[in-house]
Amino acid sequence: MMPTIITPELPDPTQPVATLPIAEMSIAEMPIAEMPIAEIPIAEIPIAEAGRLLMAGELAIIQTHWPALRLAADTTAVHETRKAIRRTFTLFKLFAPYFAPDELEPHRATLRRMMRRLAPCRDAAVFRLKLAAYNETAEPPLTKLADHWDERQARADEKLREYLGRRPVIRRLDRYTRLTVSPGMGLPRGKDRAAPLLVGHALPALLFQRVGAVRAWGALLPTATPAQFHQLRIQFKELRYTLTFFEPVLSGCADLIDLSRQIQDHLGALNDASVAVELLEGMKHHHDEADRYRAFQQAELERLTAGFLPLYAAFDRPEVRRELALTLADL
């Protein structure tokens, strides 16, 4: 279920919403923001308005965590905000063809600037969490390394709080909020002359494009580098997010959705180990402790790399694609 959308007070949109009374509108004409979320027949609404609704849902998550993010760079708030922004980037990629040219690009830039400040906070938090788990059994524990990363976390958090307090950042997010809560805004001119493209029309192509992007990496996996696994992780993330966005109309794909979550979790742990190795290789202090912990993380990276191939084989099967195709045929 999507979260409740938090709508701030905003000026009236420059483009008017349809003026017909709700009762006289078809699904394709109805302002989606005025419909109860539980009653929205997602397959039967215009594809651009479905994208707008999903963007608003992710923005609501960012708004929910904003106070904790702005005041304390809270670890949970950083993590949830990053996930919401990542999902939004996937939404931009999926739905950009249905909006006016470059309509979404300024908002992508706004969120990407935020991600650049969030990333060091998240990387430090994950590093410290896993180092703390390692230190529970390490003999002796890596205390100097832990203290060093506590300091790095504090510096990254302070930079994030300072950035989020800037007025231009708030203004840019306000402009994006306006787009997400204004049905009809940002669509190509002359759209009323085109056939109404609904979610049910567009979703099969969107999903199989994501599947194809993941399968393209299959031949490279036996010798893939950490950088290539990172690119595959991005492609899998886009597939998983797309499946999750439209999960209400993909009831026949429960196994595929569950498998995509397992794969994403595995690739996430693999990426965390790879990032840790890179961070430790670049350290200029506490070399002995850094070398010990880097050897541990390198072993984790190798273990996770070897364990990924069976998971990928379970995904890249004709039966999986057939299940998806049969579900989409019913839209």
Side-chain angles (χ1 to χ4, degrees):
M1 181 179 293
M2 296 181 197
T4 301
I5 298 171
I6 302 172
T7 306
E9 293 185 5
L10 296 165
D12 291 336
T14 57
Q15 299 193 26
V17 177
T19 56
L20 285 173
I22 294 288
E24 298 178 18
M25 294 181 185
S26 69
I27 289 293
E29 296 169 321
M30 190 173 294
I32 300 304
E34 297 183 18
M35 300 177 64
I37 287 178
E39 298 178 10
I40 295 175
I42 192 72
E44 300 175 31
I45 66 175
I47 186 70
E49 296 307 325
R52 193 190 312 276
L53 181 65
L54 291 165
M55 291 173 205
E58 298 304 328
L59 181 58
I61 295 173
I62 296 172
Q63 292 170 330
T64 297
H65 292 285
W66 185 265
L69 197 66
R70 171 70 183 87
L71 297 176
D74 175 78
T75 299
T76 298
V78 167
H79 181 60
E80 295 301 324
T81 300
R82 275 176 53 86
K83 289 198 299 183
I85 292 176
R86 288 290 185 201
R87 289 190 293 265
T88 301
F89 287 157
T90 297
L91 289 171
F92 287 169
K93 182 176 289 189
L94 289 172
F95 294 100
Y98 310 109
F99 283 81
D102 298 325
E103 176 67 33
L104 300 180
E105 191 54 41
H107 308 303
R108 188 198 311 273
T110 293
L111 296 177
R112 197 170 294 283
R113 292 187 191 100
M114 280 186 61
M115 285 293 276
R116 284 202 293 268
R117 276 73 178 187
L118 289 163
C121 300
R122 188 267 181 190
D123 289 345
V126 171
F127 188 100
R128 290 170 61 240
L129 180 66
K130 298 199 172 186
L131 177 59
Y134 174 86
N135 275 339
E136 289 180 0
T137 57
E139 190 59 45
L142 308 179
T143 54
K144 293 180 180 178
L145 191 62
D147 290 343
H148 174 81
W149 278 91
D150 287 347
E151 294 173 4
R152 287 185 65 159
Q153 180 84 70
R155 290 196 298 270
D157 291 352
E158 178 58 33
K159 288 181 180 180
L160 174 64
R161 290 195 299 270
E162 186 276 328
Y163 177 76
L164 296 180
R166 298 178 187 175
R167 289 185 179 275
V169 174
I170 306 299
R171 286 197 295 268
R172 288 192 289 264
L173 284 173
D174 283 346
R175 286 195 289 271
Y176 177 53
T177 301
R178 183 178 177 182
L179 175 72
T180 68
V181 298
S182 304
M185 180 179 282
L187 300 184
R189 293 185 178 183
K191 194 69 174 177
D192 57 331
R193 293 195 297 270
L197 187 65
L198 307 183
V199 169
H201 304 149
L203 184 55
L206 292 178
L207 273 171
F208 273 107
Q209 285 174 352
R210 305 273 73 75
V211 170
V214 167
R215 295 187 67 215
W217 289 89
L220 300 177
L221 289 182
T223 59
T225 64
Q228 289 172 321
F229 271 110
H230 179 62
Q231 291 303 313
L232 174 60
R233 177 173 175 250
I234 292 172
Q235 298 299 330
F236 249 116
K237 192 175 290 188
E238 291 183 357
L239 172 60
R240 178 193 168 188
Y241 290 162
T242 306
L243 288 166
T244 304
F245 293 146
F246 297 103
E247 191 167 356
V249 295
L250 296 174
S251 57
C253 292
D255 291 343
L256 175 58
I257 292 171
D258 182 63
L259 180 58
S260 72
R261 291 188 177 117
Q262 293 179 46
I263 291 173
Q264 191 58 50
D265 289 344
H266 191 102
L267 286 172
L270 191 155
N271 185 68
D272 288 342
S274 176
V275 169
V277 169
E278 289 183 13
L279 291 171
L280 289 160
E281 287 176 344
M283 282 197 60
K284 300 178 181 179
H285 309 283
H286 316 303
H287 294 293
D288 290 344
E289 291 193 358
D291 288 346
R292 278 180 57 198
Y293 192 50
R294 182 165 58 84
F296 171 78
Q297 287 291 350
Q298 182 64 43
E300 277 292 283
L301 178 59
E302 293 170 4
R303 178 184 69 81
L304 291 163
T305 298
F308 179 70
L309 292 178
L311 269 178
Y312 185 84
F315 162 81
D316 193 19
R317 293 180 296 120
E319 295 86 351
V320 170
R321 297 190 294 278
R322 190 176 300 116
E323 178 185 75
L324 177 60
L326 289 173
T327 299
L328 293 172
D330 289 333
L331 290 180

